[in-house]
Amino acid sequence: MTAPGRRSSTFTRLLRHGFTDPSAAERLLESDQLAPIKADPVLLDALGKTADPDLALLGLVRLVEAQGGRTAERELLDTLVAAKPLRDRLLGVLGASAALADHLARHPGDWQELVTYEPQDLHPGVAEFERGLAEADDPVSLRVAYRRCLLSIAARDVCGTTDLAQTAAELADLATATLRAALAIARHAAPGDAALCRLAVIAMGKCGGHELNYVSDVDVIFVGEAVDGADEGKAIQAATRLAAHMMRICSETTVEGSIWPVDANLRPEGRNGPLVRTLSSHLAYYQRWAKTWEFQALLKARPVAGDIELGAEYVATLAPLVWHAAERENFVADVQKMRRRVVENIPVAEVDRELKLGPGGLRDVEFAVQLLQLVHGRADSSLRSGTTLDALKALAAGGYVGRADAVQLDDSYRFLRLMEHRIQLFRLRRTHLVPEDSADLRRIGRSLGLRVDPVAELKREWKRHRAVVRRLHEKLFYRPLLDAVAQLATGEARLSADAARERLVALGYADPAAALRHLEALASGVSRKAAIQRTLLPVLLGWFADSAEPDAGLLNFRKVSDALGKTPWYLRLLRDEGAAAENLARVLSAGRLAPDLLMRAPEAVALLGDGDGGGLEPRARAHLEQEVLAAVGRAAGGEQAVTAARGVRRRELFRTAAADIVASYGTEETPVVADQGALVDQVGGAVSDLTAATLAGTLRAVVRDGWGDTLPTRFAVIAMGRFGGHELGYGSDADVLFVHEPREGVDEHEASRAANAVVSEMRRLLQVSSADPPLLIDADLRPEGKSGPLVRSLKSYEAYYRRWSLVWESQALLRAEFVAGDEDLGRRFIELVDPLRYPAEGLGEDAVREIRRLKARMESERMPRGADPTLHTKLGRGGLSDVEWTVQLFQLRHGWDEPGLRTTRTREALAAACAAELVSGEDAAILDEAWVLATRVRNAVMLVRGRAGDTFPSDGRELAAVGRYLGYGPGHVGDMLDDYRRTTRRARAVVDELFYGA
């Protein structure tokens, strides 16, 4: 007897053998059912080797109880102790699967299936499973027979008699036999239908690929034909009834549960299409209507039941279409879109537990392998396997995947699939989510041989294999391209030049020959630089391929690398700083503007890193002006000074463009910025601040070069238009007014000549041809427009505005803001114009009518001939002009008594109008959305084309690049244009009501 407070020796032994509830286990071992063998040491040792000893012991007790008599109990227990194969198989199953334990409790004689241990029993095929199901003549008996066969598969699996590939193949073979048995039951129930038609069942997905899970939908496609002399229509109806009945036999729940769902949604037109088609109807659909993913699905098509001859004819007929799918337009875009859609549809709470569909999951392996098969299988028939691991082995043998990569991917895929099998086997439920419960994780870990700390070891191994899959998924498609051109690896089969070109075409490269030359130039040789490039390029190629201009991205990368290749920090930056390489890839492949800015001073690539290069955060105007003025102060003359100022502007334009692109595209470390308005404000503010700093530096340089420290007249630059509104785009001119005031004792004419000379020299220096982009100064908003003097004195402005000012000039002055020169003079100019732009008591009705007339005239006269008014961002329906004029009318009418409206910024004024209840929140949101979208389109056009434009590009690639910037994936250009039209149409309806009073 055990002393009080002390543990029994049995309790201690149970703990040592892996039991988590030794007290309950001890009671079970002391039960009458196990009395004959409780002292036998082999029982405890065998239980300790199972995935869950507690579960196995409970299942054994239930099985003994279910035997129904002492003789049957004694036979089971004697065999269990005497026969090690049975002991390992039976207890292994009971410790891994509660569902199969339930089956054995309901059908206690089925343990006999695990006794036989003949060589032919080790690897059964379809024929053996058909014999096992032969006596099933209804859905219930079919389920019982199916579980009996499944019992033997699971036993071989958990005991290690079969590996993953063999287990998956056996499951597929059992599914084949089950489909045949179900179809036989359906045919027997409807002999008239069976006599009318030929019906072939084509397995798809994992069943077709001979790599099925324990519990998975069995994907099928049905092909039907009339027998000789039968009416085709009636025959297809009969075949449809047989197919539907077969599906119900497998899928419906009975007293013995269900087998698995039979899913026919991969058929032409999916669930909206007919369940059964003739072969000619299938062919017509795939020739004319099928999408890329449907050909990818056909990689695994395999006839399994019914008329096998018809099924083989189906596969042979469609095979040529499958192996030319990679030649289809938008092939890569389509497959990438499908993969992204799968990931996006995973609920956020499940992403980190998703074993199949999540990043680094099973689908990444299968997707990459299938993509390579479709690209290279056209010319290499050895790749045409429906089984993932066989196809991966063939890809490695052919040199399409590096051998080391293939071994790692094979290992990780097997581990992840084993995890999936163990998770599903427990309850025989279809799931791909890794459980969170520690008991479940412990059972899974132990079933995989992780016995020291099963939970921690499982998590660590799962994390490691996910990382391997994710890394190789990105690399798999690109690395062999480098091996093909670098010619360094020995003993490795390499991609041929033709195969490399095929892969580049499939990735979306328009000029694969040029791309190969760039790769050869970058990666060939034995230098350290080439070695680092070979490490970087596989991932960079993937990022380039994810853009609308992969060719341009690779070419630009070569140019930057040629310029900086000998600089020690460049490749080190890309290799060691996580964000730098991806940021650079996004910037180089997003259009022309950012790469052009970078090529003029490649050292600006340092801004893309995480270190001391300043990063991509916009710099404050005060810091910019301080740097520009310091650079001007160090320069020897005016031209050199302005060149320095323009150099700072070029670098900061690149910083702004790069930040915009990265925020719009998103990276692994930085998600896409959701607030598009914030992006617009950031770009507008950064470019406007930069323009102000450049003008301040240029003014300082011109004055110093011509007059020394003091100009004969005080001089100020007043920003107007988008410049004054802090809304400049990349291609915007700087709208300004120039004002001066003669110093005491200086003749007005002399002061005027000096002011005009300053303006002329500033405009000249800012447009001198150089490596830096010009800054165009536009003073057309001055009094009298182009006919008036470029510069006026403050008194002249005062006299003009008092006597001659027109309503459009008051409207233009809403954007006036001092930006450079004499601050006191600038302040007094703003005080002068405030009464004009915010008139006391607001605008009169005559002035309101005049503004409306001017707007209507502008719409009819200034729209470019041939332009689509629904897509013109500035003058089109619901575009920038519509929103801005509406907001400015609020400012002119109500700015005198609503302080919030006294701002030069459109969005700020619109928000103030909403706060003052001059416009509803809904209408304000509609106008704001349209204004932000139109501004983003203008910025996108400049980034993509390298020159300003007010409408969407006509070139297909440029249009796709604009779409990519705006968040539209490949193939969604039409959606982008539709969304733009819809957004601006709603905005125009609001404008008609608020501006025109319609």
Side-chain angles (χ1 to χ4, degrees):
M1 180 176 176
T2 304
R6 295 187 61 187
R7 298 293 190 186
S8 70
S9 59
T10 303
F11 187 98
T12 305
R13 287 171 61 215
L14 289 170
L15 278 177
R16 194 165 56 247
H17 279 84
F19 287 83
T20 57
D21 190 352
S23 298
E26 195 168 7
R27 287 194 297 273
L28 290 173
L29 286 170
E30 294 293 334
S31 65
D32 292 341
Q33 288 79 11
L34 298 187
I37 64 168
K38 67 179 182 180
D40 197 316
V42 299
L43 175 62
L44 207 55
D45 289 342
L47 287 167
K49 294 175 182 177
T50 65
D52 186 338
D54 300 84
L55 184 68
L57 178 57
L58 177 61
L60 178 61
V61 171
R62 291 178 62 204
L63 177 59
V64 174
E65 285 178 341
Q67 293 305 304
R70 288 294 181 184
T71 302
E73 288 179 9
R74 192 73 200 181
E75 180 186 4
L76 168 61
L77 295 176
D78 287 348
T79 310
L80 185 71
V81 172
K84 185 178 187 301
L86 170 70
R87 186 167 61 247
D88 291 343
R89 288 179 170 195
L90 178 58
L91 295 182
V93 168
L94 293 174
S97 178
L100 289 177
D102 290 343
H103 171 84
L104 284 169
R106 289 196 307 273
H107 304 281
D110 280 1
W111 68 269
Q112 300 277 2
E113 293 294 315
L114 304 180
V115 175
T116 55
Y117 202 70
E118 301 301 326
Q120 64 269 23
D121 177 56
L122 297 182
H123 302 294
V126 176
E128 286 76 18
F129 289 126
E130 283 189 294
R131 284 196 293 272
L133 303 177
E135 295 181 6
D137 55 5
D138 61 54
V140 174
S141 60
L142 180 61
R143 280 152 178 71
V144 174
Y146 174 83
R147 290 289 172 89
R148 190 180 301 124
C149 293
L150 190 65
L151 188 65
S152 64
I153 293 176
R156 288 188 292 276
D157 177 16
V158 298
C159 291
T161 307
T162 54
D163 65 10
L164 168 81
Q166 291 168 328
T167 301
E170 287 183 15
L171 289 166
D173 286 341
L174 176 56
T176 297
T178 305
L179 289 171
R180 292 178 182 180
L183 183 56
I185 294 172
R187 290 171 67 90
H188 180 75
D193 285 344
L196 280 176
C197 65
R198 300 169 65 197
L199 176 64
V201 183
I202 311 298
M204 305 287 285
K206 282 189 163 55
C207 184
H210 221 226
E211 52 187 10
L212 197 60
N213 299 329
Y214 276 101
V215 188
S216 175
D217 289 359
V218 171
D219 297 307
V220 299
I221 285 176
F222 296 105
V223 189
E225 296 288 350
V227 299
D228 292 341
D231 177 77
E232 184 178 282
K234 292 181 178 179
I236 295 303
Q237 290 175 0
T240 301
R241 289 191 291 270
L242 288 173
H245 190 190
M246 186 204 82
M247 293 174 68
R248 290 195 303 272
I249 289 169
C250 296
S251 305
E252 288 181 346
T253 301
T254 71
V255 291
E256 287 291 338
S258 65
I259 301 177
W260 17 247
V262 177
D263 188 341
N265 288 335
L266 291 178
R267 67 186 184 270
E269 300 180 76
R271 64 185 60 192
N272 297 319
L275 184 61
V276 181
R277 289 175 183 258
T278 63
L279 179 54
S280 60
S281 176
H282 277 284
L283 180 60
Y285 173 84
Y286 284 106
Q287 286 176 330
R288 187 171 185 185
W289 303 110
K291 296 180 175 62
T292 299
W293 69 264
E294 294 178 276
F295 292 107
Q296 188 172 351
L298 284 171
L299 280 171
K300 296 185 177 295
R302 180 172 65 94
V304 292
D307 193 314
I308 299 299
E309 184 180 341
L310 176 59
E313 189 179 353
Y314 169 89
V315 172
T317 300
L318 294 184
L321 300 180
V322 173
W323 299 113
H324 286 86
E327 299 168 5
R328 293 164 58 90
E329 188 176 357
N330 294 323
F331 166 71
V332 170
D334 287 344
V335 291
Q336 289 175 339
K337 179 172 65 178
M338 183 174 67
R339 178 67 187 119
R340 280 193 294 267
R341 188 167 61 240
V342 168
V343 175
E344 290 165 0
N345 288 338
I346 302 172
V348 175
E350 296 180 358
V351 169
D352 291 336
R353 297 169 52 212
E354 178 59 67
L355 193 63
K356 177 180 178 181
L357 304 178
L362 293 165
R363 184 58 60 85
D364 274 351
V365 181
E366 294 158 0
F367 190 86
V369 168
Q370 290 165 20
L371 207 54
L372 291 174
Q373 285 181 277
L374 287 171
V375 171
H376 299 295
R378 290 175 291 173
D380 189 343
S381 60
S382 70
L383 305 181
R384 299 178 183 180
S385 170
T387 307
T388 301
L389 291 175
D390 290 348
L392 179 59
K393 184 178 179 181
L395 286 165
Y400 305 101
V401 176
R403 286 180 183 148
D405 290 345
V407 168
Q408 287 189 65
L409 207 58
D410 182 287
D411 183 50
S412 293
Y413 185 72
R414 288 174 184 271
F415 180 85
L416 296 175
R417 282 294 305 272
L418 275 173
M419 275 189 71
E420 182 184 43
H421 277 190
R422 298 296 188 262
I423 291 169
Q424 292 183 349
L425 182 59
F426 180 52
R427 293 288 185 195
L428 286 182
R429 290 177 183 165
R430 182 176 180 270
T431 180
H432 308 290
L433 290 179
V434 176
E436 297 176 294
D437 183 73
S438 60
D440 290 328
L441 294 173
R442 181 177 184 272
R443 183 186 64 257
I444 296 166
R446 284 176 58 88
S447 76
L448 297 175
L450 309 173
R451 297 299 174 97
V452 177
D453 185 352
V455 175
E457 289 178 78
L458 176 66
K459 289 180 177 179
R460 184 166 57 249
E461 284 298 291
W462 178 33
K463 182 178 180 180
R464 180 176 71 82
H465 285 293
R466 282 178 69 181
V468 167
V469 169
R470 192 166 189 186
R471 175 176 60 82
L472 292 180
H473 172 72
E474 295 168 341
K475 173 184 175 183
L476 205 59
F477 220 63
Y478 313 111
R479 182 83 218 184
L481 291 169
L482 305 186
D483 292 339
V485 296
Q487 301 289 307
L488 286 175
T490 57
E492 279 270 328
R494 290 193 278 278
L495 285 183
S496 67
D498 287 342
R501 275 193 292 272
E502 279 187 352
R503 190 172 296 191
L504 285 164
V505 169
L507 285 166
Y509 286 82
D511 188 351
L516 283 174
R517 289 196 299 273
H518 300 325
L519 292 176
E520 185 173 9
L522 289 164
S524 293
V526 294
S527 67
R528 181 173 177 77
K529 180 178 79 170
I532 296 176
Q533 287 281 22
R534 288 193 293 275
T535 301
L536 292 170
L537 276 165
V539 180
L540 287 170
L541 282 169
W543 287 326
F544 294 147
D546 190 37
S547 74
E549 290 282 357
D551 297 83
L554 181 56
L555 172 61
N556 290 330
F557 179 69
R558 180 181 175 182
K559 288 179 179 178
V560 172
S561 295
D562 287 347
L564 295 176
K566 295 182 180 178
T567 309
W569 57 264
Y570 167 62
L571 289 175
R572 188 169 62 243
L573 170 81
L574 299 184
R575 183 192 62 195
D576 298 341
E577 294 202 22
E582 187 171 5
N583 288 347
L584 179 61
R586 297 301 183 200
V587 166
L588 293 181
S589 57
R592 296 179 184 174
L593 178 65
D596 285 351
L597 292 169
L598 183 60
M599 296 310 167
R600 294 169 181 178
E603 65 276 3
V605 77
L607 299 175
L608 301 171
D610 305 321
D612 301 325
L616 297 180
E617 288 295 317
R619 300 177 66 202
R621 178 169 164 183
H623 293 156
L624 290 170
E625 193 165 316
Q626 183 180 20
E627 181 183 2
V628 169
L629 292 177
V632 166
R634 292 191 296 269
E639 288 203 12
Q640 187 179 350
V642 175
T643 298
R646 289 174 65 182
V648 173
R649 177 172 177 264
R650 178 203 61 238
R651 184 198 67 211
E652 295 303 319
L653 275 176
F654 173 74
R655 187 198 303 268
T656 302
D660 189 15
I661 290 166
V662 169
S664 298
Y665 273 62
T667 65
E668 286 193 3
E669 296 185 8
T670 309
V672 173
V673 173
D675 187 350
Q676 304 296 295
L679 272 182
V680 164
D681 291 343
Q682 179 173 302
V683 171
V687 178
S688 300
D689 287 346
L690 179 55
T691 301
T694 305
L695 289 176
T698 303
L699 176 59
R700 173 76 63 85
V702 169
V703 170
R704 188 190 65 182
D705 212 35
W707 292 272
D709 292 333
T710 307
L711 190 67
T713 184
R714 295 181 181 87
F715 188 90
V717 182
I718 308 298
M720 300 288 285
R722 297 193 176 285
F723 185 14
H726 298 253
E727 297 160 2
L728 282 180
Y730 299 110
S732 301
D733 296 345
D735 290 319
V736 297
L737 297 178
F738 297 109
V739 57
H740 78 98
E741 184 179 64
R743 297 186 184 277
E744 292 182 9
V746 176
D747 178 72
E748 283 196 15
H749 293 294
E750 179 187 352
S752 179
R753 282 196 300 273
N756 275 284
V758 167
V759 172
S760 297
E761 185 64 0
M762 285 179 68
R763 298 180 80 178
R764 184 187 74 82
L765 291 174
L766 288 170
Q767 296 179 52
V768 168
S769 296
S770 74
D772 302 311
L775 174 57
L776 301 178
I777 294 177
D778 187 341
D780 289 352
L781 293 175
R782 64 188 184 271
E784 303 178 73
K786 293 181 180 179
S787 303
L790 268 176
V791 191
R792 288 178 182 264
S793 67
L794 185 63
K795 284 185 178 180
S796 175
Y797 275 108
E798 184 179 7
Y800 175 85
Y801 287 137
R802 184 174 63 249
R803 186 171 183 184
W804 304 109
S805 177
L806 300 174
V807 67
W808 72 264
E809 291 175 301
S810 296
Q811 183 180 354
L813 288 168
L814 287 167
R815 305 283 210 131
E817 182 175 282
F818 165 76
V819 290
D822 190 297
E823 191 171 345
D824 179 66
L825 178 60
R827 178 185 54 77
R828 285 186 285 130
F829 178 86
I830 297 301
E831 290 173 353
L832 168 67
V833 301
D834 270 351
L836 290 171
R837 56 184 179 174
Y838 309 125
E841 304 301 325
L843 282 185
E845 286 304 313
D846 289 345
V848 171
R849 280 194 294 274
E850 175 64 11
I851 286 179
R852 289 171 176 162
R853 187 187 66 79
L854 288 171
K855 176 74 167 69
R857 179 181 168 190
M858 182 180 71
E859 289 177 8
S860 63
E861 294 181 1
R862 294 183 59 186
M863 179 72 70
R865 181 175 298 177
D868 184 346
T870 67
L871 294 176
H872 198 280
T873 59
K874 182 176 181 181
L875 302 174
R877 178 194 68 190
L880 297 171
S881 175
D882 271 358
V883 178
E884 289 165 3
W885 281 59
T886 301
V887 172
Q888 289 161 12
L889 186 58
F890 283 132
Q891 292 179 282
L892 289 166
R893 299 180 78 174
H894 303 283
W896 65 280
D897 67 344
E898 287 292 345
L901 291 171
R902 297 172 207 161
T903 174
T904 61
R905 306 179 188 218
T906 300
R907 299 187 71 215
E908 210 172 89
L910 179 57
C914 182
E917 298 184 352
L918 300 172
V919 58
S920 70
E922 182 182 358
D923 286 350
I926 289 171
L927 293 178
D928 185 71
E929 181 186 12
W931 189 88
V932 167
L933 178 57
T935 304
R936 291 265 293 157
V937 171
R938 289 183 102 202
N939 286 345
V941 170
M942 184 65 188
L943 285 169
V944 169
R945 303 178 68 194
R947 61 182 187 275
D950 289 319
T951 191
F952 289 87
S954 56
D955 177 80
R957 277 186 175 261
E958 291 180 347
L959 188 61
V962 169
R964 187 71 179 82
Y965 170 86
L966 294 176
Y968 292 87
H972 285 279
V973 164
D975 293 339
M976 171 181 68
L977 300 179
D978 288 345
D979 288 347
Y980 182 86
R981 288 188 173 105
R982 180 168 49 253
T983 300
T984 54
R985 182 174 62 247
R986 294 173 64 212
R988 179 62 188 209
V990 175
V991 170
D992 285 341
E993 180 182 348
L994 298 179
F995 184 82
Y996 289 110

